[in-house]
Amino acid sequence: MNVALVTLGCKVNQYESQIYRENFKNNGFEIRDFGESSDIVLINTCVVTKRAEKESRNLIHRSLRTSQKVIVTGCYVEKDNETLKEKFPQIEVVKRERLLNNGYFKKKVNKIHNFSGHTRAFIKIEDGCEKFCSYCIIPYLRGRVKNRSSKEVLEEIEGLVGNDYKEFVLTGVDLGAYEGLDNLLAEIEKIKEVKRIRLSSLEPKEISSSLIDLLGSNQKFCPHLHIPLQSGDDRILRLMNRDYSLKDYTALIEKIRKKIPEICFTTDVMVGFPGEDREAFSNTVRTIKEIGFSKVHCFRYSARERTKAAKLANQVKEEEKRERAEATRLSAEEVSRKIKRNFLRKTLSVLVEGKKRNGHFFGYSEHYLPVLIEEEVGVNQIIKVRIGNLKGDCLVGSILC
Ligand code: SF4
């Protein structure tokens, strides 16, 4: 029997799909690429926005046309499996817990040994979130905070370095809620073959002084942090039930920059949140410029059932959201280019991930900056690259011999 897997959503979902992939293999299934005809398709869904929910349904329609059996799991199932069963009576709906821990696979694998289609390995160390940001449906679907044992995480990473993985991206639904994160990072750093350790995303209030000191103490910790801002306006941050003010956020950035001057920051912002007027929106755009993010993921607010924000007054029109998202994207790109120009004539370490369509080899620097390499190079190696130029959103450089 053969199976194809397709995944929507966050790094945690992608990690869990790798667990499913290895479990199928371990139970005698051949793994096929999604889109090829296969006996079974497993769809790992996401419902963080209306758009993701629609994409999940589109994947189900598409898979029902190419495969005898369609298994659906992930956040759509956690959110509303009854509706799914009604809409698609022919599919098999399986809760995540059952696939991960409760007897779906006879021979069970609970660690990943590879990360299909990736040069950098995502490592799930935490699940769940108890913050209940007013726009977010995730706490209702992923439940309370759960930590993986550090022993299991370290064994997993040791297995992956054996398969030649060099960079490890620690991830979770609320990564910073992991108890003993500093200790775990210090243990991972001790593994000789581990070359890079990256943190996928941290909430502002979860970044302690000891963590900043640790990240600044060793070159294995990548000088890059993704810290969701969401809004540059205090009134909106309160409506979002975010636990920091803009002043807290900017003070944190300054504190980290003092300890790690060359660090790059990326972030998430949400535009069109209920009650966001022109002034609040311009506070967000101004903050993006003042902080200087190397990349901004901009989301249009999408009302989710069960969330407090969905019931708020002053919902913003879709057209207005689109305009704000476009304005944010343009501003953020300009800021990003300015940040990237600081790296011209500098030498960066780049983990080569493969070839871009334009024929250039490509990878990310330790700061998580995208770099095109002029020469032919081997994939999955870390090389020194002298940056000579900026092309679109990528730095361009040549190998330092
Ligand atoms: S921290 Fe907020 S946005 Fe992130 S998963 Fe938790 S509730 Fe959602």
Side-chain angles (χ1 to χ4, degrees):
M1 289 280 277
N2 54 61
V3 58
L5 294 90
V6 60
T7 309
L8 290 177
C10 62
K11 290 187 173 70
V12 176
N13 248 19
Q14 293 171 44
Y15 171 91
E16 288 164 351
S17 286
Q18 182 59 27
I19 288 275
Y20 306 149
R21 188 174 286 110
E22 295 199 21
N23 271 292
F24 274 114
K25 233 177 174 171
N26 203 39
N27 287 273
F29 285 77
E30 176 209 336
I31 306 295
R32 294 257 173 104
D33 288 338
F34 181 67
E36 279 183 78
S37 84
S38 60
D39 302 320
I40 302 174
V41 167
L42 183 138
I43 305 169
N44 195 355
T45 59
C46 170
V47 290
V48 77
T49 60
K50 276 200 185 78
R51 196 165 145 192
E53 198 169 312
K54 188 160 179 273
E55 268 173 49
S56 299
R57 288 195 297 276
N58 292 347
L59 283 175
I60 297 173
H61 284 298
R62 193 172 146 199
S63 305
L64 285 169
R65 289 196 292 274
T66 59
S67 293
Q68 299 153 26
K69 181 170 175 176
V70 175
I71 304 169
V72 177
T73 190
C75 285
Y76 207 147
V77 174
E78 309 298 329
K79 174 173 174 276
D80 199 351
N81 63 25
E82 291 314 321
T83 308
L84 274 177
K85 283 180 193 157
E86 256 166 54
K87 269 187 202 303
F88 307 101
Q90 351 52 326
I91 66 174
E92 182 184 341
V93 167
V94 187
K95 288 232 168 189
R96 174 185 301 128
E97 182 57 21
R98 175 130 193 268
L99 275 170
L100 287 172
N101 302 315
N102 274 346
Y104 190 84
F105 297 102
K106 285 200 184 69
K107 289 181 276 166
K108 192 163 129 345
V109 174
N110 65 358
K111 294 188 200 71
I112 63 170
H113 299 80
N114 285 289
F115 206 75
S116 164
H118 291 78
T119 308
R120 301 172 303 121
F122 300 162
I123 307 292
K124 173 187 169 183
I125 67 168
E126 182 274 349
D127 202 342
C129 181
E130 298 166 23
K131 290 196 164 49
F132 292 94
C133 301
S134 64
Y135 51 82
C136 187
I137 196 173
I138 299 169
Y140 303 95
L141 309 179
R142 287 263 176 192
R144 304 192 71 115
V145 167
K146 295 175 277 301
N147 290 348
R148 269 182 89 195
S149 80
S150 55
K151 179 172 173 295
E152 198 180 277
V153 172
L154 292 167
E155 284 168 3
E156 185 169 67
I157 291 177
E158 271 149 9
L160 286 160
V161 290
N163 289 332
D164 207 21
Y165 283 85
K166 296 176 175 62
E167 177 172 324
F168 298 89
V169 185
L170 300 194
T171 194
V173 173
D174 182 9
L175 181 66
Y178 186 90
E179 259 167 57
L181 181 60
D182 296 22
N183 297 340
L184 177 62
L185 287 169
E187 289 303 310
I188 297 172
E189 187 269 317
K190 287 185 193 140
I191 303 174
K192 193 160 154 290
E193 300 80 2
V194 167
K195 301 300 179 206
R196 286 183 166 175
I197 305 163
R198 197 178 298 279
L199 297 169
S200 64
S201 179
L202 282 174
E203 294 298 317
K205 280 284 169 76
E206 291 166 339
I207 304 177
S208 63
S209 302
S210 62
L211 180 63
I212 297 171
D213 291 345
L214 180 66
L215 296 178
S217 70
N218 186 295
Q219 295 220 323
K220 284 192 182 182
F221 298 120
C222 292
H224 157 241
L225 280 176
H226 183 86
I227 312 175
L229 168 71
Q230 303 300 8
S231 172
D233 185 87
D234 281 334
R235 181 178 59 81
I236 299 297
L237 286 173
R238 281 193 296 277
L239 285 171
M240 287 177 164
N241 191 31
R242 299 287 284 167
D243 60 2
Y244 54 88
S245 67
L246 183 60
K247 201 159 158 256
D248 297 335
Y249 190 96
T250 45
L252 173 68
I253 297 289
E254 270 160 43
K255 186 176 170 186
I256 300 170
R257 270 197 175 125
K258 218 163 164 200
K259 180 77 191 178
I260 316 170
E262 78 281 15
I263 195 163
C264 282
F265 294 103
T266 55
T267 195
D268 301 332
V269 297
M270 183 178 285
V271 296
F273 185 82
E276 182 192 65
D277 54 14
R278 286 252 141 223
E279 188 200 341
F281 172 62
S282 63
N283 289 339
T284 297
V285 174
R286 192 188 59 253
T287 305
I288 289 172
K289 289 178 181 161
E290 283 172 1
I291 290 180
F293 293 104
S294 56
K295 187 162 179 67
V296 173
H297 299 270
C298 179
F299 299 88
R300 282 181 269 150
Y301 170 72
S302 170
R304 304 280 62 211
E305 298 93 345
R306 296 188 225 175
T307 62
K308 284 205 178 98
K311 303 180 192 80
L312 285 175
N314 305 320
Q315 298 278 333
V316 178
K317 291 196 179 63
E318 286 307 318
E319 186 44 39
E320 182 61 29
K321 288 182 198 170
R322 265 192 287 278
E323 281 171 24
R324 290 180 191 178
E326 183 56 15
T328 307
R329 190 181 63 76
L330 293 173
S331 286
E333 280 175 8
E334 202 185 312
V335 171
S336 171
R337 277 194 292 278
K338 201 165 148 227
I339 297 291
K340 286 169 185 161
R341 279 196 209 97
N342 298 337
F343 290 87
L344 294 179
R345 292 173 298 287
K346 294 222 169 127
T347 299
L348 302 180
S349 290
V350 176
L351 171 55
V352 184
E353 299 205 6
K355 238 183 185 180
K356 279 269 186 187
R357 267 192 231 104
N358 59 17
H360 276 295
F361 278 86
F362 166 84
Y364 283 99
S365 78
E366 62 270 47
H367 314 80
Y368 203 55
L369 298 171
V371 179
L372 297 175
I373 301 143
E374 281 160 345
E375 297 85 359
E376 289 276 322
V377 285
V379 172
N380 193 27
Q381 49 167 330
I382 297 179
I383 56 173
K384 293 278 180 206
V385 177
R386 178 96 177 147
I387 303 301
N389 207 340
L390 176 60
K391 202 174 167 186
D393 68 344
C394 286
L395 294 168
V396 184
S398 50
I399 308 177
L400 205 66
C401 299

mmCIF file of all heavy atoms in Angstrom, residues 232-259:
data_model
loop_
_atom_site.group_PDB
_atom_site.id
_atom_site.type_symbol
_atom_site.label_atom_id
_atom_site.label_comp_id
_atom_site.label_asym_id
_atom_site.label_seq_id
_atom_site.Cartn_x
_atom_site.Cartn_y
_atom_site.Cartn_z
ATOM 1 N N GLY A 232 1.198 47.748 16.600
ATOM 2 C CA GLY A 232 2.067 48.780 17.177
ATOM 3 C C GLY A 232 1.252 49.790 17.963
ATOM 4 O O GLY A 232 1.708 50.912 18.215
ATOM 5 N N ASP A 233 0.036 49.404 18.319
ATOM 6 C CA ASP A 233 -0.873 50.305 19.028
ATOM 7 C C ASP A 233 -1.333 49.693 20.350
ATOM 8 O O ASP A 233 -1.888 48.590 20.366
ATOM 9 C CB ASP A 233 -2.084 50.599 18.125
ATOM 10 C CG ASP A 233 -3.011 51.621 18.737
ATOM 11 O OD1 ASP A 233 -2.784 52.830 18.527
ATOM 12 O OD2 ASP A 233 -3.946 51.198 19.457
ATOM 13 N N ASP A 234 -1.126 50.411 21.441
ATOM 14 C CA ASP A 234 -1.444 49.842 22.763
ATOM 15 C C ASP A 234 -2.927 49.523 22.945
ATOM 16 O O ASP A 234 -3.279 48.510 23.555
ATOM 17 C CB ASP A 234 -0.971 50.803 23.876
ATOM 18 C CG ASP A 234 0.533 50.668 24.115
ATOM 19 O OD1 ASP A 234 1.066 49.566 23.835
ATOM 20 O OD2 ASP A 234 1.158 51.653 24.532
ATOM 21 N N ARG A 235 -3.799 50.377 22.399
ATOM 22 C CA ARG A 235 -5.240 50.118 22.555
ATOM 23 C C ARG A 235 -5.594 48.799 21.866
ATOM 24 O O ARG A 235 -6.303 47.950 22.424
ATOM 25 C CB ARG A 235 -6.045 51.279 21.937
ATOM 26 C CG ARG A 235 -7.553 51.162 22.055
ATOM 27 C CD ARG A 235 -8.256 52.382 21.468
ATOM 28 N NE ARG A 235 -7.935 52.596 20.061
ATOM 29 C CZ ARG A 235 -8.514 51.931 19.055
ATOM 30 N NH1 ARG A 235 -9.433 51.012 19.321
ATOM 31 N NH2 ARG A 235 -8.200 52.159 17.791
ATOM 32 N N ILE A 236 -5.034 48.568 20.685
ATOM 33 C CA ILE A 236 -5.310 47.313 19.957
ATOM 34 C C ILE A 236 -4.655 46.128 20.660
ATOM 35 O O ILE A 236 -5.252 45.060 20.787
ATOM 36 C CB ILE A 236 -4.836 47.424 18.490
ATOM 37 C CG1 ILE A 236 -5.583 48.549 17.754
ATOM 38 C CG2 ILE A 236 -5.003 46.101 17.750
ATOM 39 C CD1 ILE A 236 -7.083 48.343 17.636
ATOM 40 N N LEU A 237 -3.444 46.318 21.179
ATOM 41 C CA LEU A 237 -2.787 45.212 21.903
ATOM 42 C C LEU A 237 -3.654 44.765 23.090
ATOM 43 O O LEU A 237 -3.785 43.576 23.357
ATOM 44 C CB LEU A 237 -1.402 45.650 22.386
ATOM 45 C CG LEU A 237 -0.312 45.765 21.311
ATOM 46 C CD1 LEU A 237 0.968 46.366 21.900
ATOM 47 C CD2 LEU A 237 -0.016 44.405 20.673
ATOM 48 N N ARG A 238 -4.282 45.746 23.764
ATOM 49 C CA ARG A 238 -5.157 45.376 24.896
ATOM 50 C C ARG A 238 -6.382 44.617 24.388
ATOM 51 O O ARG A 238 -6.754 43.583 24.946
ATOM 52 C CB ARG A 238 -5.576 46.639 25.664
ATOM 53 C CG ARG A 238 -4.503 47.179 26.617
ATOM 54 C CD ARG A 238 -5.067 48.220 27.583
ATOM 55 N NE ARG A 238 -5.544 49.414 26.886
ATOM 56 C CZ ARG A 238 -4.760 50.413 26.501
ATOM 57 N NH1 ARG A 238 -3.438 50.340 26.721
ATOM 58 N NH2 ARG A 238 -5.233 51.477 25.873
ATOM 59 N N LEU A 239 -6.969 45.096 23.285
ATOM 60 C CA LEU A 239 -8.153 44.397 22.722
ATOM 61 C C LEU A 239 -7.776 42.990 22.255
ATOM 62 O O LEU A 239 -8.580 42.072 22.284
ATOM 63 C CB LEU A 239 -8.719 45.193 21.549
ATOM 64 C CG LEU A 239 -9.505 46.463 21.878
ATOM 65 C CD1 LEU A 239 -9.798 47.262 20.600
ATOM 66 C CD2 LEU A 239 -10.814 46.118 22.612
ATOM 67 N N MET A 240 -6.530 42.831 21.854
ATOM 68 C CA MET A 240 -6.056 41.504 21.406
ATOM 69 C C MET A 240 -5.736 40.594 22.600
ATOM 70 O O MET A 240 -5.451 39.417 22.424
ATOM 71 C CB MET A 240 -4.781 41.653 20.561
ATOM 72 C CG MET A 240 -4.968 42.220 19.185
ATOM 73 S SD MET A 240 -3.343 42.416 18.369
ATOM 74 C CE MET A 240 -3.853 42.607 16.660
ATOM 75 N N ASN A 241 -5.771 41.175 23.795
ATOM 76 C CA ASN A 241 -5.374 40.443 25.017
ATOM 77 C C ASN A 241 -3.913 39.982 24.948
ATOM 78 O O ASN A 241 -3.547 38.905 25.419
ATOM 79 C CB ASN A 241 -6.302 39.239 25.228
ATOM 80 C CG ASN A 241 -6.107 38.608 26.608
ATOM 81 O OD1 ASN A 241 -5.773 39.323 27.575
ATOM 82 N ND2 ASN A 241 -6.261 37.294 26.687
ATOM 83 N N ARG A 242 -3.075 40.835 24.317
ATOM 84 C CA ARG A 242 -1.633 40.552 24.302
ATOM 85 C C ARG A 242 -1.079 41.064 25.631
ATOM 86 O O ARG A 242 -1.510 42.105 26.130
ATOM 87 C CB ARG A 242 -0.972 41.231 23.108
ATOM 88 C CG ARG A 242 -1.495 40.782 21.756
ATOM 89 C CD ARG A 242 -1.050 39.399 21.382
ATOM 90 N NE ARG A 242 0.340 39.356 20.946
ATOM 91 C CZ ARG A 242 1.029 38.209 20.803
ATOM 92 N NH1 ARG A 242 0.462 37.059 21.119
ATOM 93 N NH2 ARG A 242 2.282 38.224 20.393
ATOM 94 N N ASP A 243 -0.089 40.377 26.204
ATOM 95 C CA ASP A 243 0.333 40.705 27.587
ATOM 96 C C ASP A 243 1.524 41.651 27.652
ATOM 97 O O ASP A 243 2.373 41.548 28.562
ATOM 98 C CB ASP A 243 0.633 39.423 28.370
ATOM 99 C CG ASP A 243 1.751 38.608 27.703
ATOM 100 O OD1 ASP A 243 2.287 39.090 26.671
ATOM 101 O OD2 ASP A 243 2.071 37.517 28.213
ATOM 102 N N TYR A 244 1.648 42.538 26.681
ATOM 103 C CA TYR A 244 2.739 43.525 26.713
ATOM 104 C C TYR A 244 2.253 44.808 26.046
ATOM 105 O O TYR A 244 1.281 44.815 25.276
ATOM 106 C CB TYR A 244 3.945 42.990 25.938
ATOM 107 C CG TYR A 244 3.594 42.565 24.546
ATOM 108 C CD1 TYR A 244 3.617 43.470 23.475
ATOM 109 C CD2 TYR A 244 3.165 41.277 24.274
ATOM 110 C CE1 TYR A 244 3.236 43.097 22.197
ATOM 111 C CE2 TYR A 244 2.782 40.880 22.999
ATOM 112 C CZ TYR A 244 2.814 41.802 21.969
ATOM 113 O OH TYR A 244 2.419 41.430 20.713
ATOM 114 N N SER A 245 2.966 45.908 26.367
ATOM 115 C CA SER A 245 2.663 47.196 25.724
ATOM 116 C C SER A 245 3.722 47.421 24.641
ATOM 117 O O SER A 245 4.741 46.715 24.603
ATOM 118 C CB SER A 245 2.765 48.320 26.763
ATOM 119 O OG SER A 245 4.130 48.432 27.160
ATOM 120 N N LEU A 246 3.512 48.424 23.817
ATOM 121 C CA LEU A 246 4.506 48.717 22.779
ATOM 122 C C LEU A 246 5.836 49.086 23.430
ATOM 123 O O LEU A 246 6.904 48.689 22.969
ATOM 124 C CB LEU A 246 4.017 49.854 21.894
ATOM 125 C CG LEU A 246 4.920 50.199 20.735
ATOM 126 C CD1 LEU A 246 5.110 49.010 19.805
ATOM 127 C CD2 LEU A 246 4.385 51.408 19.965
ATOM 128 N N LYS A 247 5.762 49.801 24.557
ATOM 129 C CA LYS A 247 6.981 50.212 25.281
ATOM 130 C C LYS A 247 7.741 48.962 25.751
ATOM 131 O O LYS A 247 8.968 48.859 25.593
ATOM 132 C CB LYS A 247 6.578 51.071 26.488
ATOM 133 C CG LYS A 247 7.671 51.952 27.035
ATOM 134 C CD LYS A 247 7.113 53.120 27.861
ATOM 135 C CE LYS A 247 8.194 53.644 28.819
ATOM 136 N NZ LYS A 247 7.927 53.178 30.226
ATOM 137 N N ASP A 248 7.000 47.979 26.290
ATOM 138 C CA ASP A 248 7.647 46.726 26.722
ATOM 139 C C ASP A 248 8.376 46.089 25.540
ATOM 140 O O ASP A 248 9.513 45.636 25.654
ATOM 141 C CB ASP A 248 6.601 45.708 27.217
ATOM 142 C CG ASP A 248 5.826 46.174 28.434
ATOM 143 O OD1 ASP A 248 6.356 47.011 29.182
ATOM 144 O OD2 ASP A 248 4.662 45.710 28.590
ATOM 145 N N TYR A 249 7.676 46.059 24.407
ATOM 146 C CA TYR A 249 8.205 45.357 23.228
ATOM 147 C C TYR A 249 9.491 46.040 22.742
ATOM 148 O O TYR A 249 10.513 45.382 22.543
ATOM 149 C CB TYR A 249 7.162 45.330 22.110
ATOM 150 C CG TYR A 249 7.507 44.422 20.953
ATOM 151 C CD1 TYR A 249 7.016 43.119 20.860
ATOM 152 C CD2 TYR A 249 8.355 44.855 19.933
ATOM 153 C CE1 TYR A 249 7.349 42.272 19.801
ATOM 154 C CE2 TYR A 249 8.693 44.034 18.870
ATOM 155 C CZ TYR A 249 8.186 42.737 18.809
ATOM 156 O OH TYR A 249 8.529 41.909 17.761
ATOM 157 N N THR A 250 9.439 47.368 22.590
ATOM 158 C CA THR A 250 10.628 48.058 22.062
ATOM 159 C C THR A 250 11.785 47.993 23.066
ATOM 160 O O THR A 250 12.939 47.856 22.667
ATOM 161 C CB THR A 250 10.294 49.527 21.728
ATOM 162 O OG1 THR A 250 9.548 50.080 22.794
ATOM 163 C CG2 THR A 250 9.479 49.640 20.464
ATOM 164 N N ALA A 251 11.459 48.029 24.370
ATOM 165 C CA ALA A 251 12.525 47.923 25.377
ATOM 166 C C ALA A 251 13.193 46.550 25.294
ATOM 167 O O ALA A 251 14.423 46.436 25.413
ATOM 168 C CB ALA A 251 11.925 48.133 26.773
ATOM 169 N N LEU A 252 12.392 45.528 25.034
ATOM 170 C CA LEU A 252 12.947 44.172 24.905
ATOM 171 C C LEU A 252 13.894 44.089 23.706
ATOM 172 O O LEU A 252 15.001 43.557 23.808
ATOM 173 C CB LEU A 252 11.805 43.158 24.738
ATOM 174 C CG LEU A 252 12.216 41.723 24.436
ATOM 175 C CD1 LEU A 252 12.921 41.083 25.629
ATOM 176 C CD2 LEU A 252 11.011 40.885 24.006
ATOM 177 N N ILE A 253 13.476 44.652 22.587
ATOM 178 C CA ILE A 253 14.313 44.638 21.378
ATOM 179 C C ILE A 253 15.645 45.340 21.657
ATOM 180 O O ILE A 253 16.720 44.832 21.330
ATOM 181 C CB ILE A 253 13.575 45.332 20.210
ATOM 182 C CG1 ILE A 253 12.299 44.571 19.832
ATOM 183 C CG2 ILE A 253 14.494 45.516 19.013
ATOM 184 C CD1 ILE A 253 12.499 43.248 19.152
ATOM 185 N N GLU A 254 15.577 46.476 22.311
ATOM 186 C CA GLU A 254 16.818 47.224 22.633
ATOM 187 C C GLU A 254 17.725 46.382 23.537
ATOM 188 O O GLU A 254 18.938 46.293 23.316
ATOM 189 C CB GLU A 254 16.464 48.519 23.349
ATOM 190 C CG GLU A 254 16.248 49.708 22.406
ATOM 191 C CD GLU A 254 15.434 50.798 23.087
ATOM 192 O OE1 GLU A 254 15.746 51.052 24.293
ATOM 193 O OE2 GLU A 254 14.484 51.309 22.461
ATOM 194 N N LYS A 255 17.111 45.728 24.521
ATOM 195 C CA LYS A 255 17.884 44.921 25.481
ATOM 196 C C LYS A 255 18.607 43.788 24.748
ATOM 197 O O LYS A 255 19.790 43.539 24.967
ATOM 198 C CB LYS A 255 16.903 44.357 26.511
ATOM 199 C CG LYS A 255 17.503 43.608 27.654
ATOM 200 C CD LYS A 255 16.394 43.204 28.617
ATOM 201 C CE LYS A 255 16.875 42.241 29.663
ATOM 202 N NZ LYS A 255 15.741 41.763 30.498
ATOM 203 N N ILE A 256 17.898 43.132 23.838
ATOM 204 C CA ILE A 256 18.506 42.013 23.101
ATOM 205 C C ILE A 256 19.614 42.543 22.180
ATOM 206 O O ILE A 256 20.699 41.970 22.090
ATOM 207 C CB ILE A 256 17.438 41.247 22.297
ATOM 208 C CG1 ILE A 256 16.359 40.681 23.219
ATOM 209 C CG2 ILE A 256 18.071 40.125 21.478
ATOM 210 C CD1 ILE A 256 15.148 40.115 22.482
ATOM 211 N N ARG A 257 19.334 43.681 21.523
ATOM 212 C CA ARG A 257 20.324 44.243 20.583
ATOM 213 C C ARG A 257 21.608 44.650 21.318
ATOM 214 O O ARG A 257 22.703 44.549 20.791
ATOM 215 C CB ARG A 257 19.736 45.469 19.882
ATOM 216 C CG ARG A 257 19.019 45.108 18.595
ATOM 217 C CD ARG A 257 18.786 46.293 17.679
ATOM 218 N NE ARG A 257 18.190 45.820 16.427
ATOM 219 C CZ ARG A 257 17.039 46.299 15.925
ATOM 220 N NH1 ARG A 257 16.387 47.248 16.572
ATOM 221 N NH2 ARG A 257 16.546 45.828 14.789
ATOM 222 N N LYS A 258 21.434 45.075 22.568
ATOM 223 C CA LYS A 258 22.609 45.472 23.356
ATOM 224 C C LYS A 258 23.502 44.246 23.583
ATOM 225 O O LYS A 258 24.724 44.308 23.442
ATOM 226 C CB LYS A 258 22.132 46.006 24.711
ATOM 227 C CG LYS A 258 22.941 47.187 25.216
ATOM 228 C CD LYS A 258 22.204 47.913 26.283
ATOM 229 C CE LYS A 258 23.107 48.841 27.079
ATOM 230 N NZ LYS A 258 22.454 49.134 28.351
ATOM 231 N N LYS A 259 22.878 43.112 23.839
ATOM 232 C CA LYS A 259 23.623 41.870 24.118
ATOM 233 C C LYS A 259 24.104 41.223 22.826
ATOM 234 O O LYS A 259 25.208 40.658 22.772
ATOM 235 C CB LYS A 259 22.697 40.911 24.874
ATOM 236 C CG LYS A 259 23.315 39.586 25.228
ATOM 237 C CD LYS A 259 24.241 39.695 26.417
ATOM 238 C CE LYS A 259 25.045 38.413 26.581
ATOM 239 N NZ LYS A 259 25.999 38.491 27.704
#
